[in-house]
C-alpha cells in the first residue's frame, strides 16, 4: 500500500502522526502510528493564581504465533510474549546507543499500560491512539497508572498481518526506525522510561511502545477518599535523572481562590507548598493536610518552583 502520513493539529498540546507502508512481502501488512502528549506546567506565585503554561519538552506462556529472535527460520527461537517485549526494549536501547543517548529504564507499569491498548485494539478491531472510550495515551496513564507522575508521555504503535505467523522484534524496531516520526520518538533525549505491550490474534500482531519522562512514582496504595481531619502520609520513589535537590511539590486546592498564608506577609492562591522528607537518595514521603476543606485535591510535582498540573488526585471528605 502507498506510504501515507498526516498530523493531528486539533490539540495544541499533542503531536500525532499516522503512517503506513508495505513490508514488501506477500500476504503481509505493516502499519505504524506515533504520538507525543505533553503535560502542562504551572508556576507557583505568591499573592495571585498560578498561570497555566505549556511545558515544552523535546519531548504468559508461549503465544500461538511463532515469535522469533532470529531473522532466519532455520535458527528461529520461540519465545514468550514477555521475552519478545523485552527484546523490543533492548533493541530500542541499541538504537539509542548509536546516537550516544542514554538507555531507557524498563517500567512494568508502562508495559501493562501498553498491553491494555494493544489488547483493546485487537478486541475492538481498530488501530489508533484514541481508544473506543475516547482516551489518548495520557488519559489511559491517568486512568490505569496514576501512580506514575510524568512531564510527558509518548506512544508508538505497530500492526502486523502475516499469513506465515512469524514475527521478530527486529522487524518491529526496524520498521519504527524507518519512519521519521517513530524514529523521533525512539531517539527523544528526554525520555527516561519505556514499556512495551505485544498482543497477537491469529495472524495479526499489535505492538505498543509507551515512553515517559518520569519524575516520581507513588508507592503508597491510593485510597478512594481521605479525611480532611486527618493528616495523610504518602511515600514516593524518585526516578528522574535530574538532581533530587531540584524537586518540589505543591498541593493544588479544589477552590482555586483559597488563600493559603505561608506567613504573615505572603500567601499562595489555590495552592500550598509541600515539604519533601527524604528517607534516602531515592525515597521520600510527604505529610498532607487539607486546609481548603472537602473536594478534589491534586499533589503536583516539578522542579525549581514550577510544577506539572497533572499529579496525584486525592478526594477529600
Amino acid at each position: 500500500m502507498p506510504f501515507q502520513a498526516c498530523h493531528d493539529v486539533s490539540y495544541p498540546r499533542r503531536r500525532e502522526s499516522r503512517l503506513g507502508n508495505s513490508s514488501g512481502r506477500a500476504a503481509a501488512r505493516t502499519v505504524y502510528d506515533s504520538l507525543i502528549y505533553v503535560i502542562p506546567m504551572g508556576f507557583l506565585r505568591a499573592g495571585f493564581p498560578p498561570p497555566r503554561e505549556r511545558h515544552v519538552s523535546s519531548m504468559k506462556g508461549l503465544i500461538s504465533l511463532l515469535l522469533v529472535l532470529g531473522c532466519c527460520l532455520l535458527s528461529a527461537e520461540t519465545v514468550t510474549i514477555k521475552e519478545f517485549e523485552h527484546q523490543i526494549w533492548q533493541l530500542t536501547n541499541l538504537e539509542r546507543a548509536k546516537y550516544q543517548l542514554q538507555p531507557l529504564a524498563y517500567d512494568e507499569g508502562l508495559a501493562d499500560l501498553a498491553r491494555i491498548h494493544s489488547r483493546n485494539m485487537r478486541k475492538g478491531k481498530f488501530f489508533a491512539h484514541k481508544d473506543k472510550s475516547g482516551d489518548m495515551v495520557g488519559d489511559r496513564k491517568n486512568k490505569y497508572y496514576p501512580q506514575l507522575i510524568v512531564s510527558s508521555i509518548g506512544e508508538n504503535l505497530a500492526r502486523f498481518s502475516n499469513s506465515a505467523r512469524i514475527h521478530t522484534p527486529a522487524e518491529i524496531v526496524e520498521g519504527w526506525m524507518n519512519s521519521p516520526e517513530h524514529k523521533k520518538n525512539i531517539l527523544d533525549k528526554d525520555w527516561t522510561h519505556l514499556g512495551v505491550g505485544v498482543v497477537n490474534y491469529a495472524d495479526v500482531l499489535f505492538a505498543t511502545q509507551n515512553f515517559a519522562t518520569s519524575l516520581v512514582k507513588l508507592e503508597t496504595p491510593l485510597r478512594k477518599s481521605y479525611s480532611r481531619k486527618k493528616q495523610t502520609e504518602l511515600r514516593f520513589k524518585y526516578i528522574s535523572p535530574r538532581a533530587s535537590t531540584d524537586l518540589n511539590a505543591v498541593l493544588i486546592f479544589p477552590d482555586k481562590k483559597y488563600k493559603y498564608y505561608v506567613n504573615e506577609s505572603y500567601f499562595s492562591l489555590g495552592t500550598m507548598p509541600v515539604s519533601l522528607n527524604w528517607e534516602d537518595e531515592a525515597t521520600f514521603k510527604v505529610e498532607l493536610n487539607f486546609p481548603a476543606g472537602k473536594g478534589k485535591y491534586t499533589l503536583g510535582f516539578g522542579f525549581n518552583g514550577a510544577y506539572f498540573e497533572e499529579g496525584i488526585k486525592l478526594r477529600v471528605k
Side-chain angles (χ1 to χ4, degrees):
M1 89 187 201
F3 180 82
Q4 298 176 335
C6 68
H7 296 275
D8 177 9
V9 295
S10 300
Y11 306 97
R13 294 191 180 96
R14 296 172 180 171
R15 299 204 317 272
E16 180 179 353
S17 66
R18 183 177 180 84
L19 304 97
N21 66 0
S22 171
S23 66
R25 295 180 297 176
R29 186 183 179 208
T30 305
V31 184
Y32 300 96
D33 210 357
S34 68
L35 171 75
I36 297 177
Y37 177 77
V38 181
I39 310 299
M41 176 181 275
F43 290 83
L44 183 62
R45 295 286 187 269
F48 51 87
R52 290 173 178 256
E53 179 170 327
R54 177 181 176 183
H55 168 62
V56 180
S57 174
S58 298
M59 303 204 342
K60 297 180 179 182
L62 299 179
I63 64 176
S64 58
L65 296 181
L66 179 62
L67 300 182
V68 296
L69 295 182
C71 60
C72 175
L73 286 181
L74 295 178
S75 60
E77 176 188 350
T78 305
V79 298
T80 65
I81 281 281
K82 199 160 191 176
E83 289 169 336
F84 193 86
E85 293 167 342
H86 276 220
Q87 187 73 3
I88 291 175
W89 161 57
Q90 291 164 359
L91 290 172
T92 298
N93 277 337
L94 284 177
E95 294 295 338
R96 290 176 63 86
K98 294 176 184 178
Y99 294 83
Q100 292 77 50
L101 296 172
Q102 290 296 314
L104 302 176
Y106 200 75
D107 188 283
E108 287 294 345
L110 287 174
D112 288 339
L113 190 68
R115 291 186 198 108
I116 287 171
H117 194 53
S118 290
R119 191 179 304 117
N120 286 343
M121 286 191 293
R122 196 275 291 177
K123 290 183 177 179
K125 298 181 180 179
F126 71 96
F127 180 72
H129 294 293
K130 182 180 287 188
D131 60 28
K132 291 297 182 71
S133 298
D135 291 334
M136 304 291 277
V137 60
D139 305 314
R140 288 189 291 275
K141 188 213 74 70
N142 292 337
K143 181 184 292 185
Y144 300 114
Y145 196 19
Q147 304 94 326
L148 183 69
I149 303 303
V150 304
S151 61
S152 56
I153 188 166
E155 187 172 76
N156 277 350
L157 304 178
R159 178 177 61 190
F160 284 77
S161 178
N162 188 333
S163 58
R165 302 189 179 188
I166 299 172
H167 301 286
T168 69
E171 70 177 345
I172 295 174
V173 176
E174 183 181 356
W176 280 326
M177 289 300 292
N178 286 336
S179 163
E181 289 299 316
H182 303 84
K183 181 178 180 179
K184 185 176 180 180
N185 252 358
I186 288 175
L187 300 182
D188 191 318
K189 65 181 179 60
D190 288 335
W191 299 136
T192 58
H193 292 77
L194 173 67
V196 180
V198 172
V199 170
N200 75 279
Y201 179 72
D203 60 351
V204 180
L205 179 143
F206 291 92
T208 300
Q209 280 184 315
N210 280 163
F211 304 89
T213 306
S214 305
L215 280 67
V216 301
K217 184 186 293 186
L218 176 66
E219 295 189 326
T220 306
L222 276 171
R223 300 204 302 263
K224 290 183 178 180
S225 64
Y226 297 84
S227 172
R228 68 184 188 278
K229 297 179 180 180
K230 295 181 180 179
Q231 188 176 72
T232 294
E233 181 180 284
L234 301 175
R235 180 171 278 99
F236 291 85
K237 203 77 174 176
Y238 184 64
I239 54 177
S240 170
R242 291 189 58 162
S244 60
T245 51
D246 292 341
L247 184 70
N248 52 252
V250 60
L251 189 64
I252 305 170
F253 300 148
D255 182 358
K256 306 307 179 187
K257 297 180 180 180
Y258 184 90
K259 290 183 179 179
Y260 175 79
Y261 282 87
V262 180
N263 54 42
E264 293 182 357
S265 302
Y266 295 97
F267 68 87
S268 60
L269 200 59
T271 63
M272 77 174 192
V274 175
S275 297
L276 307 180
N277 303 308
W278 291 92
E279 298 180 338
D280 54 46
E281 291 183 354
T283 309
F284 65 91
K285 64 181 180 180
V286 298
E287 296 175 345
L288 302 177
N289 295 300
F290 306 103
K294 300 178 183 179
K296 295 180 180 179
Y297 290 73
T298 300
L299 178 61
F301 293 89
F303 299 103
N304 299 323
Y307 64 93
F308 297 99
E309 294 178 341
E310 292 188 8
I312 301 296
K313 307 298 182 182
L314 305 167
R315 183 184 177 193
V316 176
K317 294 184 176 180

